[in-house]
C-alpha cells in the first residue's frame, strides 16, 4: 500500500465513507456482462454447490447440486451451467472485424498478405471476489479433461459434452484474469479496491458486502448507515438462529448455515429420494407419486435456501457495477480491451480447430511466455494508468518518478552540426521532488507525438530539461510542439512506451532441456493416478 | 491438535488458574499456534492462552463473538479421510518414508501402533507418549506409529501440550505427520496452505526436539538448523498428507520446515515470559465469566472488557482471522483511532503518528500556506509527517485535476 492510498484510507476513516483512489475507471466494463455468484461445498476442494448467474439483473438463475457428494448430480449441474455460460461466451464469436496483415510463408519465406479475424466484442464474467476466480479455475481444471459420451473411450462416467468445453473456457478465462489490466473475468472486490479506499484494511476489504458498506447502506440495516459500523454489521450480525443476516459472498458458505440450514435440507432431500427409490422398487404407483411430491418439495426447499444464500451477493455485485459505471472511462481502455478481444478470439479459434484442452501443467516455454506477458502487461498498465489518471500519476510523483509543474521560461537552443535541430531548454517550476539527476532521460506526458527530454539541472522548486524530440524535422520547432511559458507540463522519468521483452523462441525451436517441443498430455483416468 | 497446560500449583500457575476462574482449562488448537506465529508480540493473547481461558466464550460475553466455525461437511470429510488412511494400514505414510530412508519396498514391515491412552489426563498422556517414543527410538529395526501423541512444549516459561496427528518412528528417528484437507493438485498444493501447515508442524518438531533433549539429558542445541543427533530426534522434514487432485486418495508430501522451525524458536524466545506478564497485571484482575448454575455467564461485559484492557494488546487486521478476540480488539483499536486498524504496514509508514486524527492533522498542516511549508527549516515535522504533507498536496491536486472534488 502506498502512502497515497494510506492517506485515502485515513480520510475514509474520518468520513466513514469510501474515498476515491482513481478519478477515472481503469477497467473495461461490458454492456452485457454475465455475473456469477458461485458457492462451493465445504470439505472438498473445488466441489461445486451452487451458482447464481445471468446477464439480467432482474432475472438471476440458480443452479445447484442437491447432494454435493453425488458425482452424477455434479455433472448434471456442470452441464446445466455450461448450457448457460457457453452460449453466452460463444455469442461474442460471430461478429468480427477483418484485419489485414502479412505473414511470412513458412515454405517460400516470402511475405504473403493474410486477413485475420478479431471479434468485435468479447464476453465479460464478473464474480464477487478472488475466491470466486479460484473456484472457477478449479472447476475448469476438474472438467476440461472429462471424457464425454462422444469420446472413443468414454470411460465409466462419461459427462455431457458441454462440460469439458465449459472447463476449457473457464481455464482460459481464469488464466487471462492473471494478466494485469485484463477484463474478461473480473472480481468485484478487486475492481472496487482499485478505485476506492475504505476506512478498513485490505484484508477486510476482501469481504464484498463489508467493503460495499463503505459506499452504500447495506440492505436490511436499520437505520441505514455506511462506514465501519455498517461493515461490522454485515460481517457479524446474526438472527436468533445464529445465522448471518447477510450471507458471505462465497465461495465458502457460513459454517453455521451449513450446520443449521443446508445439512438438514440436504438430508430431507436425500430421504425423499430414498423413499421414491423404495417405492419405485416396490412398484407402488401411489407411493411413487407421493414420494415424487416429497422430492419436489425438498428440491424447492433447497433452491429456496441456496437462493437466499446467494441473492444478497448477486445484488452486491450489481451495485458495485453501478458504482463503477458512474466513473468516466479511462482513455486507454479500448486499447487494453483489444488485447482481451484478441485473447478471446484466439481461444475461440483453438476450440474451433479442435485443439486439445490446456495441459495440466504448462511446459517451460509456455510458462516463460506467460510470465513475460504478465510482466509486459503490468508495465503497460502502470504507464497507461498514470497517463489516464492524475491520481495514478500522483503516485509516481510521490515516488520521485515524475514531476508536474509550469513552464516558466523557454530558452531556444539548437544542436551543433551542419543541420541544426531545435534543442530548447524548458525551465519548469515544480513543487515535486523527482529523482532527476542531470543527464537522466525524461518523457513529456500526453505529448503527441512522443517527446523525449533530458534533465539538465534540478534544484528544489525548479527543474530544467532540454527537449530532444517531437518537434518536427526542420530547424525551427513545429508550432505548438514546444510548450510556451505558463503551460502546465508533466514529465516522467520512466518511458511512456513499454519495453518489448526479448523474444522467446518458438516452442518447436526450444531445446528439450527447456521443455520443448511440447508433448500432448495424457489424460489419466480419474482416480487412477499412482500415489506419489 | 490440542495444547493445554500443566496443573501444578506453583505460584504463577496458581495465579493463572485464578485468572481463568473455575472454568475448565481450555486447550489451544491450530488457530492458537497460527495466532502465535502471526502476532507473537501480543501479551493479551499470550496471557489468556497461558491461563487456558476459553477465548471463544470470552469474546461472546464481550459482545463480539469470533466468526470461526467448521462446517459439518468439512468435519465429516476430514474424518472419512483419516479413517481411510488408517484402513489402508498407513501405507501412504510409510511408502514415502521407506523411500527416503532407503528401505527396500519388498521388505516385510510390521508396524507397531502403541496405545497412547487417549482418554487419560493430559499429564498422563504426555508421559505415556514420552515412554512410547523412547521405546520406539530404542528399536532401530522396527516401525512405530504414534497416533495422536501428546507432546509437551514450554511456551514463555509455561508448559503447554500439543497434539500432532501422528509421529512415525523408525531407525531411531521420528517424523511428524500432519493430515490436511487441502488437495495436492497436479503435484502442487496452495503455497499459503502449505506454509500454514509447515508453521504448525514446526511447533511439533520443536516439541519433539525438546523431548529428545530431555530424554538424553542434554540442553537443546542453540542452532535452529542443526539436526539433532539424539535417539528419537525428529527429522526436519515433515510429511503432509493431503487428498490427491479431486479424489479422496491420500498423497504424502515432504515439507522441509527448517525455516519455520527457526522462526518459531525465535518467536517463542521473544515472547515475554508469563511471570513477567503476571507481575505487570494489576491485582484482582480475572477473566472469570462467573457462570451461574445453568452455565450462563453472568459477568457484566463492561467489567470483563476492563479486565481484558488491563493486558496490553498488539492488534493488527490479521487478528480477525487468527484470534477469537479479533472483533473485540478491532473495535477497541477503532475507538482509539489507532492507525493499526488499517494494516500492519501503516504503522511503519506513519512513523510517530499513532492515531488517525494525528496523521490527518499532520497531513493537513501543509495545506493553505506556501508551496512547501513542510520543507522549511525548523518546521519540526519528522520525515514521515513531511511525506504525508507532500502526499496530501499531491492527492488534493490530482483530485481537483480529475474533477472529483
Ligand atoms: S485479537 Fe487482540 S488478543 Fe488476539 S492477538 Fe489480536 S490483539 Fe491480541
Amino acid at each position: 500500500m502506498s502512502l497515497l492510498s494510506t492517506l485515502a484510507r485515513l480520510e475514509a476513516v474520518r468520513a466513514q465513507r469510501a474515498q476515491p483512489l482513481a478519478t477515472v475507471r481503469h477497467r473495461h466494463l461490458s454492456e452485457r456482462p454475465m455475473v456469477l455468484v458461485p458457492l462451493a461445498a465445504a470439505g472438498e476442494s473445488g466441489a461445486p454447490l451452487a451458482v447464481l448467474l445471468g446477464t439480467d439483473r432482474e432475472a438471476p438463475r440458480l443452479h445447484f447440486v442437491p447432494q454435493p457428494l453425488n458425482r452424477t448430480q455434479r455433472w448434471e449441474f456442470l452441464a446445466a451451467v455450461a448450457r448457460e455460460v457457453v452460449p453466452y461466451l460463444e455469442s461474442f464469436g460471430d461478429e468480427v472485424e477483418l484485419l489485414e496483415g502479412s505473414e511470412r510463408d513458412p515454405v517460400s519465406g516470402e511475405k504473403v498478405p493474410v486477413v485475420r479475424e478479431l471479434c468485435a466484442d468479447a464476453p465479460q464474467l464478473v464474480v464477487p471476489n478472488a475466491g470466486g476466480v479460484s473456484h472457477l479455475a478449479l472447476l475448469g481444471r476438474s472438467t476440461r479433461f472429462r471424457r464425454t459420451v462422444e469420446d472413443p473411450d468414454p470411460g465409466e462416467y462419461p459427462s455431457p459434452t458441454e462440460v469439458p468445453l465449459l472447463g476449457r473456457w473457464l481455464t482460459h478465462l481464469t488464466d487471462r484474469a492473471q494478466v494485469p489490466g485484463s477484463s474478461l473475468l473480473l472480481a468485484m472486490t478487486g475492481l472496487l479496491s482499485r478505485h476506492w479506499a475504505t476506512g478498513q484494511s485490505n484484508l477486510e476489504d476482501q469481504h464484498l458486502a463489508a467493503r460495499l458498506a463503505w459506499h452504500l447502506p447495506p440492505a436490511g440495516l436499520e437505520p441505514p448507515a455506511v462506514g465501519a459500523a455498517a461493515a461490522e454489521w454485515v460481517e457479524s450480525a446474526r438472527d436468533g438462529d445464529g445465522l448471518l443476516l447477510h450471507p458471505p459472498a462465497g465461495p465458502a458458505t457460513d459454517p453455521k448455515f451449513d450446520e443449521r440450514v443446508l445439512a438438514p435440507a440436504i438430508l430431507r432431500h436425500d430421504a425423499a429420494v430414498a423413499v421414491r427409490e423404495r417405492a419405485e422398487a416396490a412398484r407402488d404407483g401411489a407411493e411413487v407419486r407421493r414420494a415424487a411430491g416429497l422430492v419436489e418439495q425438498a428440491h424447492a426447499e433447497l433452491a429456496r435456501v441456496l437462493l437466499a444464500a446467494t441473492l444478497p451477493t448477486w445484488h452486491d455485485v450489481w451495485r458495485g457495477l453501478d458504482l463503477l459505471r458512474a466513473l468516466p472511462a479511462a482513455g486507454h481502455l479500448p486499447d487494453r480491451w483489444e488485447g482481451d478481444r484478441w485473447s478471446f478470439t484466439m481461444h475461440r479459434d483453438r476450440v474451433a480447430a479442435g485443439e486439445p484442452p490446456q495441459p495440466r501443467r504448462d511446459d517451460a516455454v509456455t510458462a516463460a511466455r506467460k510470465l513475460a506477458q504478465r510482466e509486459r502487461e503490468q508495465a503497460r498498465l502502470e504507464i497507461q494508468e498514470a497517463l489516464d489518471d492524475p491520481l495514478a500519476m500522483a503516485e509516481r510523483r510521490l515516488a520521485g518518478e515524475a514531476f508536474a509543474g509550469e513552464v516558466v521560461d523557454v530558452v531556444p537552443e539548437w544542436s551543433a552540426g551542419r543541420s541544426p535541430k531545435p534543442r530548447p531548454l524548458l525551465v519548469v517550476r515544480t513543487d515535486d521532488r523527482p529523482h532527476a539527476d542531470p543527464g537522466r532521460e525524461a518523457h513529456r506526458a500526453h505529448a503527441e507525438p512522443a517527446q523525449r527530454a533530458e534533465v539538465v539541472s534540478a534544484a528544489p522548486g525548479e527543474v530544467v530539461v532540454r527537449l530532444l524530440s517531437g518537434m518536427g524535422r526542420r530547424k525551427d520547432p513545429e508550432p505548438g510542439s514546444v510548450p510556451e511559458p505558463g503551460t502546465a507540463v508533466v514529465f516522467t522519468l520512466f518511458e511512456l512506451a513499454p519495453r518489448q521483452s526479448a523474444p522467446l523462441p518458438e516452442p518447436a525451436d526450444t531445446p528439450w532441456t527447456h521443455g520443448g517441443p511440447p508433448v500432448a498430455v495424457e489424460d489419466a483416468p480419474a482416480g487412477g493416478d499412482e500415489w506419489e | 491438535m490440542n495444547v493445554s497446560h500443566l496443573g501444578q500449583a506453583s505460584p504463577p500457575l496458581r495465579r493463572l488458574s485464578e485468572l481463568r476462574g473455575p472454568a475448565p482449562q481450555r486447550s489451544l488448537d491450530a488457530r492458537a499456534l497460527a495466532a502465535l506465529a502471526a502476532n507473537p508480540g501480543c501479551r493479551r493473547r499470550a496471557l489468556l492462552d497461558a491461563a487456558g481461558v476459553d477465548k471463544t466464550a470470552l469474546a461472546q460475553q464481550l459482545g463480539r463473538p469470533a466468526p470461526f466455525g467448521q462446517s459439518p461437511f468439512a468435519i465429516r470429510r476430514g474424518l472419512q479421510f483419516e479413517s481411510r488412511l488408517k484402513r489402508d494400514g498407513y501405507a501412504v505414510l510409510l511408502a514415502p518414508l521407506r523411500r527416503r530412508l532407503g528401505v527396500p519396498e519388498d521388505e516385510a514391515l510390521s508396524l507397531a501402533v502403541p496405545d497412547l491412552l487417549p482418554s487419560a489426563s493430559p499429564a498422563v498422556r504426555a508421559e505415556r507418549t514420552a515412554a512410547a517414543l523412547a521405546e520406539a527410538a530404542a528399536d532401530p529395526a522396527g516401525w512405530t506409529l504414534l497416533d495422536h501423541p501428546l507432546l509437551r512444549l514450554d511456551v514463555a516459561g509455561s508448559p503447554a501440550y500439543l497434539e500432532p496427528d501422528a509421529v512415525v518412528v523408525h531407525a531411531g528417528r521420528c517424523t511428524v505427520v500432519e493430515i490436511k484437507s487441502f488437495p495436492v493438485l497436479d503435484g502442487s498444493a496452495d503455497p499459503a496452505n502449505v506454509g500454514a501447515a509447515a508453521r504448525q508442524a514446526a511447533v511439533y518438531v520443536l516439541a519433539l526436539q525438546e523431548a529428545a533433549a530431555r530424554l538424553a539429558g542434554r540442553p537443546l542445541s542453540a542452532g535452529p538448523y542443526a539436526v539433532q543427533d539424539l535417539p528419537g530426534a525428529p527429522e526436519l522434514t515433515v510429511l503432509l498428507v493431503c487428498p490427491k487432485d479431486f479424489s479422496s486418495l491420500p498423497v504424502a508430501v515432504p515439507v522441509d520446515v527448517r525455516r519455520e522451525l527457526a522462526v518459531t524458536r525465535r518467536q517463542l524466545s521473544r515472547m515475554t515470559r508469563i511471570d513477567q506478564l503476571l507481575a505487570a497485571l494489576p491485582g484482582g484482575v480475572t477473566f472469570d465469566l462467573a457462570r451461574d448454575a445453568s452455565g450462563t455467564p453472568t459477568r457484566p461485559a463492561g467489567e470483563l472488557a476492563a479486565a481484558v484492557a488491563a493486558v496490553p494488546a498488539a492488534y493488527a487486521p490479521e487478528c480477525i482471522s487468527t484470534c477469537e478476540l479479533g472483533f473485540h480488539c478491532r473495535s477497541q483499536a477503532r475507538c482509539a483511532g489507532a492507525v493499526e486498524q488499517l494494516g500492519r504496514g501503516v504503522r511503519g509508514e506513519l512513523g510517530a503518528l499513532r492515531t488517525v486524527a494525528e496523521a490527518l492533522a499532520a497531513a493537513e498542516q501543509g495545506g493553505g500556506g506556501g508551496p512547501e511549508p513542510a520543507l522549511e527549516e525548523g518546521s519540526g515535522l519528522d520525515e514521515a509527517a513531511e511525506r504525508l504533507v507532500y502526499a496530501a498536496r499531491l492527492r488534493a491536486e490530482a483530485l481537483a485535476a480529475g474533477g472529483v472534488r
Side-chain angles (χ1 to χ4, degrees), chain B residues 39 42 44-45 313-315 319 323 325-326 329:
Chain B
N39 197 357
C42 179
R44 184 173 294 171
R45 202 212 46 246
Y315 173 78
C319 287
C323 181
L325 292 185
C329 294

Side-chain angles (χ1 to χ4, degrees), chain A residues 1 4 6-7 11 14 19-20 43 45 138 141 201 204 232 235 258 361 397 431-433 529, chain B residues 64 69 71 77 183 185-186 244 246 317 320 330 342 349 364 372 390-395 397 405:
Chain A
M1 206 162 52
L4 271 170
T6 299
L7 184 63
E11 288 176 0
R14 179 167 60 190
Q19 299 295 314
S45 175
L138 282 175
R141 163 62 183 80
S201 73
E204 290 148 311
E232 185 172 11
E235 278 174 337
D258 285 7
R361 266 176 276 198
R397 289 164 63 190
D431 296 334
D432 293 349
R433 302 164 222 170
D529 301 28
Chain B
R64 287 198 159 79
S71 163
R77 189 168 154 94
L185 190 54
D186 297 332
K244 180 171 162 43
F246 298 102
I320 295 197
R330 178 178 73 180
L342 298 179
E349 270 179 336
E364 277 146 22
E372 281 295 324
Y390 184 22
R393 180 174 63 72
L394 287 177
R395 177 167 167 81
E397 195 184 307
R405 272 177 196 164

Side-chain angles (χ1 to χ4, degrees), chain A residues 1-4 6-11 13-14 19-20 23 42-45 69 71 138 141-142 199-201 203-204 228 232 235-236 255 258-259 262-263 266 360-361 390-391 394 397-398 431-433 527 529-532, chain B residues 64 69-74 77 88 92 99 183 185-186 244-246 249-252 317-318 320 327 330 334 341-342 346 349 356 359-360 363-364 371-372 375 386-388 390-395 397-399 402 404-405:
Chain A
M1 206 162 52
S2 77
L3 191 59
L4 271 170
T6 299
L7 184 63
R9 280 185 196 270
L10 292 166
E11 288 176 0
V13 172
R14 179 167 60 190
Q19 299 295 314
T23 66
E44 195 183 340
S45 175
L69 297 176
R71 306 273 152 163
L138 282 175
R141 163 62 183 80
S142 66
Q200 59 189 11
S201 73
L203 291 167
E204 290 148 311
E232 185 172 11
E235 278 174 337
S236 55
D258 285 7
E259 179 194 322
L262 187 59
I266 291 176
R360 282 165 205 270
R361 266 176 276 198
L391 254 183
R397 289 164 63 190
L398 184 65
D431 296 334
D432 293 349
R433 302 164 222 170
D529 301 28
E530 275 284 275
W531 287 2
E532 290 170 15
Chain B
R64 287 198 159 79
Q70 220 188 349
S71 163
F73 303 118
R77 189 168 154 94
D88 298 342
V92 68
R99 270 200 302 278
L185 190 54
D186 297 332
K244 180 171 162 43
D245 296 337
F246 298 102
L249 297 178
V251 57
E318 287 79 5
I320 295 197
F327 282 156
R330 178 178 73 180
R334 282 181 175 169
Q341 63 182 295
L342 298 179
V346 172
E349 270 179 336
V356 173
L360 285 170
E364 277 146 22
E372 281 295 324
L375 282 181
E386 192 190 298
R387 269 184 72 75
L388 206 53
Y390 184 22
R393 180 174 63 72
L394 287 177
R395 177 167 167 81
E397 195 184 307
L399 286 173
V404 176
R405 272 177 196 164

Side-chain angles (χ1 to χ4, degrees), chain B residues 29 47 88 122 137 153 169 175 182 209 222 256 289 291 364 388:
Chain B
D29 55 11
L47 190 66
D88 298 342
L153 178 70
V169 193
T175 303
F182 56 82
Q209 286 186 335
D256 183 340
L289 299 182
R291 292 181 189 269
E364 277 146 22
L388 206 53

Side-chain angles (χ1 to χ4, degrees), chain B residues 101-341:
Chain B
L101 299 173
V103 179
E105 295 272 335
D106 46 1
E107 187 178 294
L109 177 159
S110 77
L111 181 69
V113 185
D115 181 3
L116 297 180
L117 311 176
S119 43
S121 72
V124 173
R125 287 182 64 195
E127 221 152 279
R128 174 71 194 116
T129 294
L133 194 57
E135 197 179 315
D139 173 10
W143 289 80
T144 308
L145 183 123
L146 303 180
D147 188 359
H148 290 99
L150 204 63
L151 308 172
R152 214 187 97 174
L153 178 70
D154 270 354
V155 177
S158 154
Y161 289 117
L162 308 125
E163 188 178 326
D165 288 332
V167 170
V168 176
V169 193
H170 175 68
R173 304 193 64 81
C174 64
T175 303
V176 170
V177 176
E178 264 305 281
I179 300 172
K180 291 290 168 199
S181 61
F182 56 82
V184 174
L185 190 54
D186 297 332
S188 62
D190 177 42
N193 286 334
V194 175
R199 284 192 294 277
Q200 194 187 331
V203 186
Y204 303 142
V205 171
L206 182 58
L208 284 165
Q209 286 186 335
E210 280 194 4
R214 253 198 314 271
L215 191 65
R218 283 205 236 152
L220 196 56
S221 84
Y225 290 103
V227 179
Q228 266 182 322
D229 194 15
L230 298 173
E235 300 284 350
L236 302 184
T237 295
V238 304
L239 280 187
L240 296 188
V241 179
C242 302
K244 180 171 162 43
D245 296 337
F246 298 102
S247 72
S248 58
L249 297 178
V251 57
V253 201
V255 177
D256 183 340
V257 299
R258 272 178 299 185
R259 203 165 51 89
E260 289 79 8
L261 186 62
V263 171
T264 304
R265 284 180 66 159
R266 194 171 63 238
Q267 280 172 344
L268 287 180
S269 69
R270 267 174 45 196
M271 278 179 74
T272 314
R273 290 189 55 86
I274 298 296
D275 37 18
Q276 286 175 23
L277 295 184
L278 287 174
L281 202 62
V285 167
T286 170
F287 307 112
D288 187 357
L289 299 182
R291 292 181 189 269
D292 63 15
S294 68
T296 313
T298 63
R299 186 98 184 269
E303 225 181 280
L304 211 46
V308 169
V311 197
Y315 173 78
E318 287 79 5
C319 287
I320 295 197
S321 54
T322 54
C323 181
E324 287 82 353
L325 292 185
F327 282 156
H328 174 77
C329 294
R330 178 178 73 180
S331 93
Q332 287 200 323
R334 282 181 175 169
C335 281
V339 297
E340 286 85 353
Q341 63 182 295

